[in-house]
Amino acid sequence: MLSVRDLDVRYGKIQALHGVSLEVHEGETVALLGANGAGKTTTLRALSCMLPSTGEIEFDGSTLTGMPSHDVVGLGLCHVPEGRRVFPLMSVAENLEIGAQRFKSRYPADLQRVYELFPRLREREAQLAGTLSGGEQQMLAMGRALMGRPRLLLLDEPSMGLAPMIVAQIFDIIRVINGQGVTVLLVEQNAAQALEIADRAYVLETGSVSMSGRGRELANDPRVRAAYLGA
Ligand code: ATP
């Protein structure tokens, strides 16, 4: 579904990605792991064309490199950014409506689907998004992306800053979303839980892929255990 070849990204004189290649197959959950500054966020931003890059990005047969990011959404690739970025002065329902711009006629059915996944959002539908807890904002950011009916969902650190119980709920929901047919590329610092739900994973180190493999294999790899699982 997604094929990335030799991706380079520069911020001025700093080269943040050096020839990153990866693949995501339809139906998979793929994790992208790495330490702070390894280039995980940069990779996701390049894939959704929010950052210019060189190399090849192919999604469902279309070349994404150089495409405006709103056209990428139109192809079915949605990005839930680090830090959630909900619209704080709009209600939960209004935030979800913004995510539905592509499929307005299907809005009522899609809204019900999102509310079934996140009953908490239904309870809070009139509340201003800026007053939600961190976990609720994460649910809203994911719900808003799902309103765009993505085929591939890019999730940047969905568990960041959340209490362990909420983190477990978020990972459960990612599993459910994937079970409903949405392919997932997940960036996480929480390597243990990410590897539990990932079919496959890539490890980034200073802008390059240093390891890749099946989730369970990497979870048992001594280098991954030492560097990312605190073992
Ligand atoms: P974290 O887990 O801390 O978010 P990350 O793996 O997502 O880290 P990136 O945010 O992609 O890493 O950063 C990769 C490299 O690019 C780092 O060296 C970072 O300092 C640099 N970088 C990121 N954004 C910018 C920017 N806007 N301008 C200059 N350099 C940047």
Side-chain angles (χ1 to χ4, degrees):
M1 178 180 257
L2 179 74
S3 170
V4 180
R5 290 271 160 274
D6 297 326
L7 196 66
D8 284 356
V9 174
R10 297 184 152 276
Y11 295 106
K13 287 185 183 155
I14 298 169
Q15 184 162 354
L17 296 187
H18 304 263
V20 168
S21 295
L22 57 85
E23 292 199 342
V24 180
H25 305 135
E26 184 153 18
E28 280 188 317
T29 293
V30 174
L32 193 54
L33 310 176
N36 282 326
K40 305 178 299 296
T41 295
T42 300
T43 302
L44 292 196
R45 289 174 59 82
L47 296 182
S48 55
C49 296
M50 290 196 277
L51 278 179
S53 61
T54 58
E56 280 172 37
I57 309 170
E58 223 184 86
F59 173 62
D60 249 354
S62 302
T63 299
L64 301 192
T65 325
M67 197 181 265
S69 50
H70 56 267
D71 287 349
V72 175
V73 178
L75 292 175
L77 189 159
C78 291
H79 182 167
V80 181
E82 190 175 17
R84 289 113 206 190
R85 310 265 173 90
V86 296
F87 298 106
L89 298 178
M90 297 174 84
S91 70
V92 166
E94 286 165 340
N95 269 270
L96 292 174
E97 199 176 340
I98 284 182
Q101 293 307 311
R102 285 176 63 218
F103 296 107
K104 279 198 161 159
S105 62
R106 299 177 186 168
Y107 174 69
D110 288 346
L111 187 66
Q112 288 319 308
R113 192 174 140 241
V114 166
Y115 281 161
E116 273 162 31
L117 265 177
F118 304 104
R120 182 65 69 88
L121 295 183
R122 189 199 303 271
E123 288 165 23
R124 316 244 154 176
E125 70 177 348
Q127 190 170 325
L128 291 185
T131 65
L132 296 172
S133 70
E136 290 162 352
Q137 289 193 16
Q138 183 59 47
M139 291 174 194
L140 180 55
M142 289 166 68
R144 186 177 59 188
L146 290 173
M147 294 296 287
R149 296 188 162 227
R151 300 189 52 238
L152 174 61
L153 194 59
L154 309 184
L155 295 173
D156 196 349
E157 305 246 14
S159 77
M160 190 168 59
L162 303 180
M165 211 172 80
I166 310 295
V167 171
Q169 277 178 25
I170 295 289
F171 276 98
D172 281 346
I173 290 166
I174 296 170
R175 239 191 263 261
V176 171
I177 292 170
N178 180 244
Q180 292 179 348
V182 180
T183 305
V184 176
L185 178 57
L186 170 68
V187 157
E188 262 299 335
Q189 293 257 0
N190 192 332
Q193 270 165 301
L195 288 174
E196 245 173 58
I197 65 164
D199 298 296
R200 292 186 305 111
Y202 292 85
V203 178
L204 274 184
E205 277 176 36
T206 55
S208 302
V209 173
S210 60
M211 279 183 266
S212 63
R214 301 206 64 80
R216 237 170 272 142
E217 281 164 18
L218 283 181
N220 290 319
D221 185 297
R223 289 167 299 169
V224 173
R225 290 172 65 78
Y228 304 104
L229 300 175

